[in-house]
Amino acid sequence: MSYNSGLTIFILLTGLILCPFAAALDSPDEKNNIILPGNENHEEPGIIPVGILLPQSGFISDIGKEYEDAFGIASNEYPGSVLMPVLMDAGSDSKTSVAAWNKMKTEYPNLSIIITIASWTTNAIYPEAAKDGILHIALGSAVVSQNNDSDRLVRFTPGVEQESPVLAKFLKQYDRVLILGSDNDYSNGYIKALESIIPEKIAGIVKYDPDRLEKSLDTETISENNPDIILLLSVTEGGKVIGIIREHGISVPILGTRVIERNTLLDESAAEGLIFTTPALDRSYPFFNQYLEQFGEEATFYGAEGYDAMMNLYKAADACKDDTGCLSSWFTNYSYNGTLGEVKLDENRVAFYPIEFRVIRDGKFEPFYQTVNS
């Protein structure tokens, strides 16, 4: 697949991953868009680096690729911008995220804007970013441990606070809910929220290691809990989890959250009937056709979120440059219509937008005939 955007990307190689773009580039000319560490001018006047900690490796690397592609489409719409996106592999775990963050700070000691993807990355970086007054844009981060009143955090992902009541309302029609997920900030945040809302409905909680899925997924315990529905807190690995569950004769309905939505789910026959939450995307925006034409598949909410976040950051930078106080105020009580639908960021710069249920039916994503707005 060709990577073809007007985005000038600076890739910092940490030793944790080789340059992931090398295989995606089709010609030597395209390689000229990549400037490796040691060649770039970190202090170029008038240029504002934007650190992006992206999962380019690990079990959610495909999600990182969708964000990256969406950033590229947004950047094409702002040629000559003062912003300089700097991508670094943050892996799919907090340890790799911290290593990437430390490398980013070394390369760009005066960094004023950081974008993090995934709850564990956001939570690992948040304390220091908040202390240093950095504008921190969190994507794909439903569970954030936000505890600094003077932070400059912008959350484009409506968190567990918005989605857990929607899930709870749906799950109340069942008597025995089994919660299944991995042991990370995202899963643990939803488990904690639902234990406080519908404790009487939760029949059991089972966790697995996504890097050792087949060995760690305890289907025997799932069966022993005798659930009448499974709430699956999976991300990229969701299709494999569902396949294993069905192979072991567990046929109860499965409900997922928005992060499970991947086009690869449609290739998993066992995922037929999966119900999941997702933003009510406004697919009339040209972004969706551009994404389909360039990358050969439909953008999910990950791409939509990445595109909206980057587009709005470019607009904010036009007004504020690298003044993080100004940037933070720009996003406060801010509303816009975008690919995510009608979006409202509140006084704490947390985004809210309509959520709907979708279902996989006949190998396609379809509406589940109800929309829930928080």
Side-chain angles (χ1 to χ4, degrees):
M1 184 177 295
S2 172
Y3 183 83
N4 181 21
S5 81
L7 174 63
T8 298
I9 300 173
F10 292 70
I11 304 172
L12 305 180
L13 304 181
T14 64
L16 300 171
I17 182 173
L18 294 176
C19 174
F21 292 79
L25 296 172
D26 293 335
S27 71
D29 290 337
E30 286 182 287
K31 293 181 181 180
N32 292 333
N33 290 329
I34 299 174
I35 301 179
L36 301 179
N39 295 330
E40 69 269 28
N41 180 358
H42 295 177
E43 305 297 334
E44 185 175 349
I47 296 299
I48 303 168
V50 178
I52 303 176
L53 297 181
L54 194 72
Q56 294 175 312
S57 62
F59 75 99
I60 64 166
S61 59
D62 61 330
I63 292 174
K65 182 64 166 64
E66 182 170 345
Y67 275 113
E68 182 181 329
D69 293 338
F71 293 155
I73 292 175
S75 295
N76 277 337
E77 300 187 31
Y78 279 87
S81 171
V82 296
L83 298 183
M84 182 185 72
V86 181
L87 306 186
M88 177 176 288
D89 179 28
S92 298
D93 61 273
S94 59
K95 182 178 180 180
T96 308
S97 298
V98 170
W101 172 235
N102 288 335
K103 177 68 173 177
M104 182 76 75
K105 289 185 298 179
T106 300
E107 298 287 343
Y108 293 88
N110 298 316
L111 191 72
S112 58
I113 304 171
I114 186 73
I115 298 175
T116 56
I117 295 166
S119 295
W120 49 84
T121 301
T122 295
N123 286 325
I125 304 318
Y126 169 78
E128 191 169 355
K131 177 177 67 70
D132 293 343
I134 294 173
L135 183 79
H136 182 180
I137 296 178
L139 306 178
S141 302
V143 181
V144 179
S145 302
Q146 190 172 0
N147 52 23
N148 187 324
D149 293 337
S150 61
D151 66 31
R152 289 170 178 168
L153 180 68
V154 181
R155 295 174 59 185
F156 271 88
T157 310
V160 63
E161 303 88 354
Q162 179 183 2
E163 195 167 5
S164 56
V166 176
L167 294 169
K169 183 177 180 180
F170 184 94
L171 292 170
K172 281 182 178 178
Q173 63 187 298
Y174 297 92
D175 294 323
R176 296 185 62 79
V177 177
L178 183 128
I179 303 178
L180 177 62
S182 56
D183 189 8
N184 56 35
D185 290 354
Y186 155 69
S187 291
N188 293 333
Y190 275 91
I191 291 169
K192 181 178 179 180
L194 290 169
E195 283 180 325
S196 68
I197 301 174
I198 51 168
E200 73 285 358
K201 296 288 186 178
I202 299 176
I205 297 169
V206 176
K207 296 183 179 180
Y208 60 81
D209 180 350
D211 293 321
R212 299 173 49 257
L213 187 57
E214 293 186 0
K215 292 184 178 180
S216 64
L217 183 54
D218 189 349
T219 54
E220 183 176 346
T221 299
I222 294 173
S223 297
E224 289 175 351
N225 276 279
N226 192 31
D228 48 21
I229 190 170
I230 294 173
L231 173 63
L232 182 56
L233 300 175
S234 290
V235 194
T236 297
E237 78 281 9
K240 292 182 180 179
V241 173
I242 295 170
I244 294 172
I245 289 173
R246 296 309 192 211
E247 286 175 2
H248 285 78
I250 302 170
S251 59
V252 299
I254 299 176
L255 175 66
T257 63
R258 73 187 74 190
V259 298
I260 202 172
E261 184 180 1
R262 307 299 301 132
N263 288 305
T264 51
L265 274 176
L266 301 179
D267 299 326
E268 175 60 68
S269 59
E272 181 75 10
L274 170 71
I275 303 165
F276 59 93
T277 57
T278 187
L281 303 178
D282 185 348
R283 292 190 174 272
S284 68
Y285 272 78
F287 162 76
F288 292 102
N289 284 333
Q290 292 171 347
Y291 192 95
L292 179 60
E293 290 174 2
Q294 290 188 41
F295 306 110
E297 63 181 14
E298 299 280 354
T300 68
F301 95 89
Y302 294 111
E305 183 184 57
Y307 175 82
D308 272 13
M310 189 62 78
M311 288 292 289
N312 280 287
L313 179 58
Y314 278 118
K315 294 175 184 177
D318 282 346
C320 299
K321 301 299 186 285
D322 62 350
D323 182 336
T324 59
C326 176
L327 289 166
S328 179
S329 296
W330 195 93
F331 282 105
T332 303
N333 292 314
Y334 171 61
S335 299
Y336 73 95
N337 292 322
T339 63
L340 291 170
E342 185 178 340
V343 180
K344 297 180 180 179
L345 284 87
D346 65 12
E347 67 278 5
N348 297 313
R349 298 171 298 285
V350 179
F352 290 84
Y353 37 81
I355 296 174
E356 66 182 8
F357 286 101
R358 301 188 84 189
V359 62
I360 297 179
R361 184 178 291 117
D362 297 326
K364 299 178 181 178
F365 293 129
E366 295 186 356
F368 190 64
Y369 302 115
Q370 62 176 314
T371 299
V372 182
N373 293 314
S374 295

Coordinates of all heavy atoms in Angstrom, one line a residue, residues 140-178:
G140 N -8.0 8.0 21.1 CA -8.1 6.6 21.4 C -7.9 6.3 22.8 O -7.4 5.2 23.2
S141 N -8.3 7.2 23.7 CA -8.0 7.1 25.1 C -9.3 7.3 25.9 O -9.7 8.4 26.3 CB -7.0 8.2 25.6 OG -5.8 8.0 24.8
A142 N -10.1 6.2 26.1 CA -11.4 6.3 26.8 C -11.2 6.4 28.3 O -12.1 6.9 29.0 CB -12.2 5.1 26.4
V143 N -10.1 5.9 28.8 CA -9.9 5.9 30.2 C -8.6 6.7 30.6 O -7.5 6.3 30.3 CB -9.7 4.5 30.8 CG1 -9.5 4.5 32.3 CG2 -10.9 3.7 30.4
V144 N -8.8 7.9 31.1 CA -7.7 8.8 31.4 C -7.7 9.2 32.9 O -8.8 9.6 33.4 CB -7.8 10.1 30.6 CG1 -6.6 11.0 30.9 CG2 -7.7 9.8 29.1
S145 N -6.6 9.0 33.6 CA -6.5 9.4 35.0 C -6.1 10.9 35.1 O -4.9 11.2 35.3 CB -5.4 8.5 35.7 OG -5.8 7.1 35.6
Q146 N -7.1 11.7 35.0 CA -6.8 13.2 34.9 C -7.0 13.7 36.3 O -8.0 13.7 36.9 CB -7.8 13.8 33.9 CG -7.6 15.2 33.6 CD -8.5 15.7 32.5 OE1 -9.3 15.0 32.0 NE2 -8.4 17.0 32.1
N147 N -5.9 14.3 36.8 CA -5.9 14.8 38.2 C -5.2 16.1 38.5 O -4.9 16.4 39.6 CB -5.3 13.7 39.1 CG -4.0 13.2 38.7 OD1 -3.3 14.0 38.0 ND2 -3.6 12.0 39.1
N148 N -5.0 16.8 37.4 CA -4.3 18.1 37.5 C -5.2 19.2 36.9 O -5.4 19.3 35.7 CB -2.9 18.1 36.7 CG -2.1 19.3 37.0 OD1 -2.6 20.4 37.1 ND2 -0.8 19.1 37.0
D149 N -5.7 20.1 37.8 CA -6.6 21.1 37.4 C -6.0 22.1 36.4 O -6.8 22.8 35.8 CB -7.2 21.8 38.7 CG -8.0 20.9 39.5 OD1 -8.5 19.9 39.0 OD2 -8.2 21.2 40.7
S150 N -4.7 22.2 36.4 CA -4.1 23.2 35.5 C -3.5 22.6 34.3 O -2.7 23.2 33.6 CB -3.0 24.0 36.3 OG -2.0 23.1 36.7
D151 N -3.9 21.3 34.0 CA -3.4 20.7 32.8 C -3.9 21.3 31.5 O -4.9 22.2 31.5 CB -3.7 19.2 32.8 CG -5.2 18.9 32.6 OD1 -5.9 19.6 32.0 OD2 -5.6 17.8 33.2
R152 N -3.4 21.0 30.4 CA -3.8 21.5 29.1 C -4.1 20.3 28.2 O -3.7 20.2 27.0 CB -2.7 22.4 28.5 CG -2.7 23.7 29.3 CD -1.5 24.6 28.9 NE -1.6 25.8 29.7 CZ -0.7 26.7 29.9 NH1 0.5 26.6 29.2 NH2 -0.9 27.8 30.6
L153 N -4.9 19.4 28.8 CA -5.3 18.1 28.1 C -6.5 18.4 27.3 O -7.5 19.0 27.7 CB -5.5 17.0 29.1 CG -5.9 15.7 28.6 CD1 -4.8 15.0 27.8 CD2 -6.4 14.8 29.7
V154 N -6.5 17.9 26.0 CA -7.7 17.9 25.1 C -8.0 16.4 24.8 O -7.2 15.7 24.3 CB -7.4 18.7 23.8 CG1 -8.6 18.7 23.0 CG2 -6.9 20.1 24.2
R155 N -9.2 16.0 25.2 CA -9.6 14.6 25.0 C -10.7 14.5 23.8 O -11.8 14.9 24.0 CB -10.2 14.0 26.2 CG -9.2 13.9 27.4 CD -9.8 13.5 28.7 NE -10.5 12.2 28.5 CZ -11.2 11.6 29.5 NH1 -11.3 12.2 30.7 NH2 -11.7 10.4 29.3
F156 N -10.3 14.0 22.7 CA -11.2 13.8 21.6 C -12.0 12.5 21.7 O -13.0 12.4 21.0 CB -10.4 13.8 20.2 CG -10.3 15.2 19.7 CD1 -9.2 16.0 20.0 CD2 -11.2 15.7 18.8 CE1 -9.1 17.3 19.5 CE2 -11.1 17.0 18.3 CZ -10.0 17.8 18.6
T157 N -11.6 11.6 22.6 CA -12.3 10.4 22.8 C -13.3 10.6 24.0 O -12.8 10.7 25.1 CB -11.4 9.2 23.1 OG1 -10.4 9.2 22.1 CG2 -12.2 7.9 23.0
P158 N -14.6 10.6 23.8 CA -15.5 10.6 24.9 C -15.2 9.4 25.8 O -15.2 8.3 25.3 CB -16.9 10.5 24.3 CG -16.7 11.1 23.0 CD -15.3 10.6 22.5
G159 N -14.9 9.6 27.0 CA -14.4 8.5 27.9 C -15.4 7.5 28.4 O -16.6 7.5 28.0
V160 N -14.9 6.7 29.3 CA -15.7 5.7 30.0 C -16.9 6.4 30.6 O -18.0 5.8 30.8 CB -14.9 4.9 31.0 CG1 -14.3 5.8 32.1 CG2 -15.7 3.8 31.6
E161 N -16.8 7.7 31.0 CA -17.8 8.4 31.7 C -19.1 8.6 30.8 O -20.2 8.6 31.3 CB -17.3 9.8 32.1 CG -16.1 9.9 33.0 CD -14.8 9.9 32.2 OE1 -14.9 9.7 31.0 OE2 -13.8 10.0 32.9
Q162 N -18.8 8.7 29.5 CA -20.0 8.9 28.6 C -20.5 7.5 28.1 O -21.7 7.3 28.0 CB -19.6 9.7 27.3 CG -20.7 9.8 26.3 CD -20.3 10.6 25.1 OE1 -19.2 11.0 24.9 NE2 -21.3 10.8 24.2
E163 N -19.6 6.6 27.9 CA -20.0 5.3 27.2 C -20.5 4.3 28.2 O -21.4 3.5 27.9 CB -18.8 4.7 26.5 CG -19.2 3.7 25.5 CD -18.2 3.3 24.5 OE1 -17.0 3.8 24.6 OE2 -18.4 2.5 23.6
S164 N -20.0 4.3 29.5 CA -20.4 3.2 30.4 C -21.9 3.3 30.7 O -22.5 2.2 30.8 CB -19.6 3.3 31.7 OG -19.7 4.6 32.3
P165 N -22.6 4.5 30.8 CA -24.0 4.4 31.0 C -24.8 3.9 29.8 O -25.8 3.2 30.0 CB -24.4 5.9 31.3 CG -23.1 6.5 31.7 CD -22.0 5.8 31.0
V166 N -24.3 4.1 28.6 CA -24.9 3.6 27.4 C -24.8 2.0 27.4 O -25.7 1.3 27.2 CB -24.2 4.1 26.2 CG1 -24.7 3.5 24.9 CG2 -24.3 5.6 26.1
L167 N -23.6 1.5 27.8 CA -23.4 0.1 27.9 C -24.3 -0.5 29.0 O -24.9 -1.6 28.8 CB -21.9 -0.2 28.2 CG -20.9 0.1 27.1 CD1 -19.5 0.0 27.6 CD2 -21.1 -0.8 25.8
A168 N -24.3 0.2 30.1 CA -25.1 -0.4 31.3 C -26.6 -0.4 30.9 O -27.3 -1.4 31.3 CB -24.9 0.5 32.5
K169 N -27.1 0.6 30.2 CA -28.5 0.5 29.8 C -28.8 -0.6 28.9 O -29.8 -1.3 29.1 CB -28.9 1.8 29.1 CG -30.3 2.0 28.7 CD -30.6 3.3 28.1 CE -32.1 3.4 27.7 NZ -32.4 4.8 27.1
F170 N -27.9 -0.9 28.0 CA -28.1 -2.1 27.1 C -28.0 -3.4 27.9 O -28.8 -4.3 27.7 CB -27.1 -2.0 26.0 CG -27.2 -3.1 25.0 CD1 -27.9 -2.8 23.8 CD2 -26.7 -4.4 25.2 CE1 -28.1 -3.8 22.8 CE2 -26.8 -5.4 24.2 CZ -27.5 -5.1 23.0
L171 N -27.0 -3.5 28.8 CA -26.8 -4.7 29.5 C -27.8 -5.1 30.6 O -27.9 -6.2 31.0 CB -25.4 -4.7 30.2 CG -24.2 -4.7 29.2 CD1 -22.9 -4.4 29.9 CD2 -24.1 -6.0 28.4
K172 N -28.6 -4.1 31.0 CA -29.6 -4.3 32.1 C -30.7 -5.3 31.7 O -31.3 -5.9 32.5 CB -30.2 -3.0 32.5 CG -29.3 -2.2 33.4 CD -30.0 -0.9 33.8 CE -29.1 -0.1 34.8 NZ -29.7 1.2 35.2
Q173 N -30.8 -5.5 30.4 CA -31.8 -6.5 29.9 C -31.4 -7.9 30.2 O -32.2 -8.9 30.0 CB -32.2 -6.3 28.5 CG -31.0 -6.5 27.5 CD -31.3 -6.1 26.1 OE1 -32.2 -6.6 25.5 NE2 -30.6 -5.1 25.6
Y174 N -30.1 -8.1 30.5 CA -29.6 -9.4 30.8 C -29.3 -9.7 32.3 O -29.2 -8.7 33.0 CB -28.3 -9.6 30.0 CG -28.4 -9.5 28.5 CD1 -28.3 -8.3 27.9 CD2 -28.7 -10.7 27.8 CE1 -28.4 -8.2 26.5 CE2 -28.9 -10.6 26.4 CZ -28.7 -9.4 25.8 OH -28.9 -9.3 24.4
D175 N -29.3 -10.9 32.7 CA -29.1 -11.3 34.1 C -27.7 -11.6 34.5 O -27.3 -11.3 35.6 CB -30.0 -12.5 34.5 CG -31.5 -12.1 34.4 OD1 -31.9 -11.0 34.7 OD2 -32.3 -13.0 34.0
R176 N -26.9 -12.2 33.5 CA -25.6 -12.6 33.8 C -24.6 -12.1 32.8 O -24.5 -12.6 31.7 CB -25.5 -14.1 33.9 CG -26.3 -14.7 35.1 CD -26.1 -16.2 35.2 NE -24.7 -16.6 35.5 CZ -24.2 -16.5 36.7 NH1 -24.9 -16.1 37.7 NH2 -22.9 -16.8 36.9
V177 N -23.9 -11.0 33.1 CA -23.0 -10.4 32.2 C -21.6 -10.8 32.6 O -21.1 -10.6 33.7 CB -23.1 -8.8 32.3 CG1 -22.1 -8.2 31.4 CG2 -24.5 -8.4 31.9
L178 N -20.9 -11.3 31.6 CA -19.4 -11.6 31.8 C -18.6 -10.6 31.1 O -18.9 -10.3 29.9 CB -19.1 -13.0 31.3 CG -17.6 -13.4 31.6 CD1 -17.4 -14.7 32.3 CD2 -16.7 -13.3 30.3

